[in-house]
Amino acid sequence: MSEQTYTVTGMTCEHCVRSVTEEIGEIDGVTGVVVDLPTGKVTVTSSKELDVADVRGAVKEAGYELTA
């Protein structure tokens, strides 16, 4: 198991949280996504190490930006 934390900008509501959660959740190997809306922190649990480019792409697809 691997756990990584990222910062996503642009999220303002629960719809934003759902969109980001759904897109990241579609990445192969992801087993859990926890979004903290006030801080923009997104913690991703996966069965393998994820490529940050995949996470960045999923966040972009949801309409937001991965900053860290």
Side-chain angles (χ1 to χ4, degrees), residues 15-49:
H15 177 266
C16 302
V17 171
R18 283 192 300 276
S19 295
V20 169
T21 300
E22 288 174 13
E23 290 295 335
I24 294 175
E26 291 180 9
I27 298 171
D28 185 45
V30 170
T31 57
V33 180
V34 177
V35 178
D36 182 29
L37 183 59
T39 64
K41 299 289 183 194
V42 178
T43 302
V44 181
T45 307
S46 58
S47 58
K48 61 182 182 179
E49 198 71 27

Side-chain angles (χ1 to χ4, degrees), residues 44-59:
V44 181
T45 307
S46 58
S47 58
K48 61 182 182 179
E49 198 71 27
L50 298 178
D51 185 339
V52 70
D54 292 339
V55 178
R56 187 177 309 281
V59 169

